[in-house]
C-alpha cells in the first residue's frame, strides 16, 4: 500500500458517510477525493477511472450548485432552498441505460487502443456507471445507489488487480453503505 492510497481511502470513507447522510460536506469531500484518486488511478494505469475523476471534479461543483438550490429545475426543495431526495422519473431510464451501454463500449474501445489499461472492460464499465451515477447523484435521485451497487465490486477487483489494497477495502465498505443508502434515500424520497 502506498501513502496516497491510504489517504485516498480515508477521504473516501468520510465521503461515503456524507453521501449516505445526504450531508452538506458531501460535495467538498467529493472534490477532494476526486483529486486524490485522479493521481492514484493515473499511476495505476486505470486511465478511464482517471478520466472519471476529472469528470467527478466538474460534477462535484455542479452537484453542489444543484443541491444548494443555485441551479433550479422546478424540483422539490426545502424551505431553505436545498433540493430534496426524489425518485428518478421513468422517462429518463431509457437514456440512462443507453448511455451506460454506449459509454461502456466507447471506453472499452478507447482503452483497447491505448493498450495500457490493466482491465479495459471493467475499467470501461465502471467508468460508464460512474458517469451515470454521478449525474443521478447530482440530481439527488435515490436510485443512484443502484449504479454503485454494480460499480463497487468492479472497483474492488480493479483495485486488487492494480495493488491498491486500501482502496479495495474502502470499496468493500462502500458496498455496505450502498445497501444502507438504498433503504435510507428511498425513505427520504417519500
Amino acid at each position: 500500500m502506498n501513502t496516497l492510497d491510504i489517504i485516498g481511502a480515508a477521504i473516501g470513507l468520510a465521503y461515503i458517510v456524507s453521501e449516505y447522510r445526504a450531508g452538506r460536506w458531501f460535495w467538498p469531500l467529493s472534490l477532494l477525493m476526486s483529486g486524490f484518486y485522479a493521481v492514484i488511478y493515473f499511476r495505476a494505469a486505470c486511465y478511464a477511472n482517471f478520466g472519471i475523476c476529472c469528470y467527478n471534479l466538474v460534477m462535484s461543483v455542479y452537484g453542489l450548485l444543484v443541491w444548494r438550490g443555485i441551479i433550479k429545475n422546478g424540483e422539490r426543495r426545502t424551505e431553505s432552498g436545498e433540493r430534496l431526495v426524489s425518485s428518478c422519473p421513468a422517462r429518463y431510464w431509457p437514456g440512462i441505460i443507453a448511455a451506460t451501454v454506449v459509454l461502456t463500449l466507447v471506453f472499452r474501445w478507447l482503452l483497447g487502443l491505448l493498450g495500457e489499461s490493466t482491465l479495459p472492460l471493467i475499467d470501461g464499465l465502471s467508468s460508464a456507471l460512474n458517469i451515470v451515477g454521478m449525474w443521478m447523484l447530482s440530481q439527488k435521485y435515490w436510485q443512484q445507489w443502484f449504479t454503485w451497487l454494480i460499480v463497487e465490486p468492479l472497483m474492488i477487483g480493479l483495485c486488487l488487480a492494480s495493488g491498491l489494497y486500501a482502496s479495495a477495502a474502502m470499496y468493500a465498505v462502500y458496498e455496505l453503505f450502498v445497501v444502507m443508502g438504498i433503504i435510507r434515500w428511498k425513505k427520504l424520497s417519500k
Side-chain angles (χ1 to χ4, degrees), residues 107-155:
F107 284 135
R108 170 59 184 97
W109 176 72
L110 288 172
L111 292 167
L113 288 177
L114 289 174
E116 292 183 29
S117 182
T118 52
L119 298 166
L121 183 59
I122 292 173
D123 201 1
L125 176 60
S126 65
S127 298
L129 287 167
N130 200 311
I131 287 173
V132 170
M134 281 299 281
W135 176 79
M136 292 177 75
L137 176 58
S138 74
Q139 303 306 305
K140 230 173 183 177
Y141 295 141
W142 73 267
Q143 294 94 336
Q144 57 93 12
W145 289 101
F146 289 111
T147 62
W148 311 125
L149 191 66
I150 299 167
V151 168
E152 306 317 351
L154 296 175
M155 293 307 297

Side-chain angles (χ1 to χ4, degrees), residues 2 18 28 33 37 61 63 74 77 81 143 154 156 164-165 168 177:
N2 65 52
S18 186
M33 184 176 161
Y37 272 93
V61 173
R77 301 211 169 257
Q143 294 94 336
L154 296 175
I156 291 168
L164 301 171
Y165 303 113
F177 273 92

Side-chain angles (χ1 to χ4, degrees), residues 27-48:
W27 290 111
L29 286 169
S30 180
L31 279 165
L32 186 60
M33 184 176 161
S34 296
F36 265 90
Y37 272 93
V39 174
I40 290 168
Y41 287 138
F42 186 80
R43 286 183 175 180
C46 299
Y47 298 120

Side-chain angles (χ1 to χ4, degrees), residues 20-189:
Y20 169 77
R21 292 181 176 167
R24 198 163 265 277
W25 286 101
F26 171 71
W27 290 111
L29 286 169
S30 180
L31 279 165
L32 186 60
M33 184 176 161
S34 296
F36 265 90
Y37 272 93
V39 174
I40 290 168
Y41 287 138
F42 186 80
R43 286 183 175 180
C46 299
Y47 298 120
N49 277 293
F50 162 75
I52 292 307
C53 288
C54 296
Y55 165 81
N56 286 350
L57 284 167
V58 173
M59 286 303 290
S60 295
V61 173
Y62 174 72
L64 179 67
L65 297 174
V66 170
W67 279 30
R68 297 289 182 258
I70 297 166
I71 297 176
K72 297 180 182 177
N73 315 12
E75 63 284 328
R76 298 178 334 163
R77 301 211 169 257
T78 65
E79 288 181 14
S80 65
E82 188 159 332
R83 188 176 192 141
L84 294 170
V85 173
S86 62
S87 187
C88 182
R91 69 182 181 274
Y92 291 162
W93 285 106
I96 288 169
I97 293 166
T100 302
V101 170
V102 169
L103 286 169
T104 298
L105 295 173
V106 168
F107 284 135
R108 170 59 184 97
W109 176 72
L110 288 172
L111 292 167
L113 288 177
L114 289 174
E116 292 183 29
S117 182
T118 52
L119 298 166
L121 183 59
I122 292 173
D123 201 1
L125 176 60
S126 65
S127 298
L129 287 167
N130 200 311
I131 287 173
V132 170
M134 281 299 281
W135 176 79
M136 292 177 75
L137 176 58
S138 74
Q139 303 306 305
K140 230 173 183 177
Y141 295 141
W142 73 267
Q143 294 94 336
Q144 57 93 12
W145 289 101
F146 289 111
T147 62
W148 311 125
L149 191 66
I150 299 167
V151 168
E152 306 317 351
L154 296 175
M155 293 307 297
I156 291 168
L158 188 64
C159 288
L160 289 174
S162 302
L164 301 171
Y165 303 113
S167 295
M170 175 194 70
Y171 286 117
V173 171
Y174 275 22
E175 193 69 4
L176 299 173
F177 273 92
V178 166
V179 173
M180 296 184 316
I182 290 169
I183 295 165
R184 184 168 194 275
W185 277 44
K186 186 173 183 181
K187 285 180 186 174
L188 289 174
S189 74

